[in-house]
Amino acid sequence: MGIFSGLFKSRDKPQNRTAGNNYTFFMGGTTSGKTVTERSAMQMTAVYSCVRILAEAVAGLPLHLYKYTDDGGKEKAIDHPLYRLLHDEPNPEMSSFVFRETLMTHLLLWGNAYAQIIRNGRNEIIALYPLMPNKMSVDRDENGHLFYTYYRGPDEAIKNKDLAVTLQPSDVLHIPGLGFDGLVGYSPIAMAKNAIGMAIACEEFGAKFFANGAAPSGVLEHPGTIKDPSRVREAWQSQFGGSSNSGKVAVLEEGMKYTPISISPEQAQFLETRKFQINEIARIFRVPPHMVGDLEKSSFSNIEQQSLEFVKYTLDPWVIRWEQSLMRALLAADEKAAYFVKFNLEGLLRGDYQSRMNGYAIGRQNGWMSANDIRELENLDRIPAEEGGDLYLINGNMLPMRDAGAFANTTPNDSGKEEKTDEEVLEVEEPGTDGDGSGGEDSVSQRHHRRGKLV
């Protein structure tokens, strides 16, 4: 590291915490009074829905390893060992979909995704296994080199050194989320724990509201003295408590009177608060509200546009983060110039059938798409090359720029039309001639007659 070794000491190690004490977030305390952790946040339907949408979207995209060809194009590197690991089966225990879905879930909840890289004796990658982010810590040694420590214990709160395993950066696939040091990402749940805590509080309030009979709490007033108030309260609760008892008619004896003392949910705007918190959580993950079931401000005219914006502004940054992390960790230094990893987003950007056909027609007529290019995007069989499947065609009335003046050497006639010069006419082989301009005494008149027909 040279002169830079002094810049990266243990005090500058990568950290994943909010401002203040990092133990504060570990306890999950929020201003709403509800404990919020990555696992408890998943009990919120909005959080679960957003995480599931993004994780399944990334996991469902086609993932290929490509190599550059000599003519400047690209082709799938099917023979490379990484192709099968990324596209089909990263390890014997899970498919590529499950592997990417798991890592994307870790990335959305903890802000980091880790996988152990298993190599053989020839230093070839043979497997990728997910690692839990809450059991991983990233640190620097005295020389400023990064190293990863993974704790194999069952409880994330107890980090026993006897269960610690040290991994080198070459042994870890690390996909960081948004962070302040560029090395470790910050948990979205930690950053938005107050918003999620309020949503949990609203949901709990609604559940208790129906459990208490969907009626406001109040006071039972008695004109005299009650010897056993707890018995009266329990009798009232057994008769009128719970959602199954809502709507019953209460009969009060001995001059008792029931006085409600809490406001109704409508006055407290309970439903509006819950709806706002759902939108707030969707905003955290940048997911359109209609994808989590909120269709209030969506219509048939704007849902398609919102879906395209979801691909462009939400999925695309995650996909780029995945691609670059995979290339950095899995490709050797000499392979990075010849190979690259790419997710295929074309299927999500194609739009409806009519829009796709119009786009294909434009590409076909302008010569930058062949029939096989179109059929490949539509998952159809290729047309054999000898039958014209790979031909690139353009309209016949289009010329290269260099030939734009090829027919400009003409002279206008009296009528304003253009006619060819005598030299050009003489070069035309006329019918009935021998090709050298001779061939009959009327050949000159025929030639002049045909000059009129040229215009």
Side-chain angles (χ1 to χ4, degrees):
M1 293 290 291
I3 62 173
F4 297 101
S5 61
L7 297 178
F8 302 104
K9 298 298 183 181
S10 60
R11 61 180 179 85
D12 299 318
K13 64 181 181 181
Q15 297 179 353
N16 183 11
R17 62 185 179 90
T18 56
N21 187 1
N22 57 353
Y23 196 69
T24 302
F25 172 67
F26 181 75
M27 298 303 294
T30 65
T31 54
S32 65
K34 300 300 175 183
T35 300
V36 175
T37 63
E38 288 82 4
R39 287 189 172 90
S40 66
M42 285 289 283
Q43 296 178 359
M44 274 296 304
T45 56
V47 175
Y48 181 86
S49 180
C50 290
V51 171
R52 182 180 179 183
I53 288 170
L54 291 173
E56 291 179 348
V58 172
L61 291 174
L63 176 61
H64 300 286
L65 178 69
Y66 292 93
K67 64 179 178 181
Y68 296 104
T69 58
D70 296 335
D71 58 356
K74 68 178 188 297
E75 63 181 7
K76 296 177 183 177
I78 301 178
D79 297 332
H80 197 286
L82 274 179
Y83 186 90
R84 184 187 64 83
L85 292 179
L86 297 177
H87 185 267
D88 300 319
E89 187 178 287
N91 61 69
E93 299 175 357
M94 60 186 66
S95 64
S96 177
F97 183 96
V98 175
F99 174 79
R100 284 182 279 157
E101 183 184 43
T102 302
L103 288 191
M104 190 62 189
T105 302
H106 294 171
L107 192 54
L108 293 168
L109 293 178
W110 281 276
N112 295 275
Y114 302 95
Q116 185 179 5
I117 302 174
I118 307 299
R119 304 176 188 268
N120 59 14
R122 293 179 296 179
N123 203 31
E124 295 176 343
I125 301 176
I126 59 175
L128 298 170
Y129 285 92
L131 299 174
M132 288 299 297
N134 50 11
K135 298 181 181 181
M136 180 73 77
S137 64
V138 186
D139 207 338
R140 294 187 188 272
D141 59 19
E142 62 276 5
N143 295 320
H145 298 145
L146 285 175
F147 68 92
Y148 295 82
T149 304
Y150 189 72
Y151 298 90
R152 296 175 298 171
D155 192 350
E156 62 190 73
I158 302 175
K159 294 185 177 180
N160 190 345
K161 293 183 178 180
D162 296 334
L163 301 176
V165 177
T166 300
L167 300 172
Q168 297 301 317
S170 58
D171 298 327
V172 178
L173 167 62
H174 180 196
I175 307 175
L178 178 65
F180 294 160
D181 56 9
L183 297 175
V184 179
Y186 283 77
S187 169
I189 305 300
M191 294 301 176
K193 63 178 182 178
N194 287 327
I196 298 174
M198 184 174 180
I200 295 176
C202 290
E203 188 176 71
E204 183 176 327
F205 171 79
K208 290 184 177 180
F209 171 74
F210 286 101
N212 290 329
S217 301
V219 176
L220 285 173
E221 299 181 4
H222 192 278
T225 301
I226 300 179
K227 296 182 179 179
D228 192 357
S230 60
R231 183 182 61 83
V232 177
R233 181 173 58 250
E234 292 174 359
W236 176 270
Q237 183 66 24
S238 63
Q239 291 294 321
F240 305 106
S243 57
S244 59
N245 295 324
S246 61
K248 284 187 175 181
V249 179
V251 178
L252 303 179
E253 303 179 9
E254 301 179 359
M256 294 181 63
K257 183 174 65 172
Y258 175 77
T259 304
I261 60 174
S262 62
I263 60 176
S264 66
E266 292 78 11
Q267 293 172 334
Q269 296 184 341
F270 166 65
L271 296 178
E272 287 78 4
T273 302
R274 287 208 65 190
K275 184 182 297 184
F276 177 79
Q277 290 308 118
I278 292 176
N279 290 334
E280 188 81 351
I281 294 173
R283 187 180 298 116
I284 296 169
F285 295 98
R286 202 187 297 170
V287 173
H290 77 271
M291 299 188 74
V292 294
D294 184 5
L295 302 176
E296 182 178 1
K297 296 183 179 179
S298 300
S299 63
F300 290 106
S301 60
N302 64 7
I303 279 186
E304 182 179 357
Q305 184 62 34
Q306 291 183 43
S307 299
L308 294 177
E309 291 180 354
F310 168 73
V311 175
K312 183 176 181 181
Y313 298 111
T314 304
L315 272 187
D316 201 40
W318 287 115
V319 166
I320 294 175
R321 194 183 301 271
W322 267 81
E323 291 172 348
Q324 295 185 356
S325 297
L326 291 173
M327 292 177 59
R328 181 189 59 82
L330 303 183
L331 292 178
D334 56 341
E335 291 180 329
K336 293 179 180 178
Y339 296 89
F340 66 96
V341 178
K342 191 69 176 176
F343 284 88
N344 186 5
L345 291 170
E346 294 297 329
L348 299 178
L349 295 172
R350 292 189 302 174
D352 56 66
Y353 184 82
Q354 182 178 359
S355 300
R356 297 202 312 272
M357 294 303 107
N358 291 337
Y360 294 153
I362 294 174
R364 180 72 164 145
Q365 294 169 7
N366 287 278
W368 54 271
M369 293 188 76
S370 67
N372 283 335
D373 293 337
I374 298 173
R375 294 178 68 86
E376 184 175 355
L377 292 175
E378 289 296 315
N379 199 24
L380 299 174
D381 294 335
R382 295 175 59 87
I383 298 175
E386 56 271 15
E387 297 182 11
D390 293 326
L391 290 177
Y392 293 89
L393 308 174
I394 62 171
N395 291 323
N397 59 350
M398 300 177 66
L399 293 172
M401 183 67 71
R402 64 178 181 272
D403 297 334
F407 302 99
N409 188 17
T410 58
T411 57
N413 56 16
D414 296 337
S415 62
K417 298 181 180 180
E418 295 182 351
E419 62 180 1
K420 292 185 177 297
T421 61
D422 293 338
E423 291 79 9
E424 293 174 326
V425 174
L426 291 175
E427 292 176 358
V428 180
E429 182 178 345
E430 298 292 344
T433 66
D434 56 4
D436 58 356
S438 61
E441 45 183 51
D442 63 342
S443 60
V444 176
S445 61
Q446 290 176 354
R447 239 185 347 261
H448 284 286
H449 176 71
R450 288 185 177 88
R451 283 178 58 192
K453 293 299 184 181
L454 290 175
V455 297

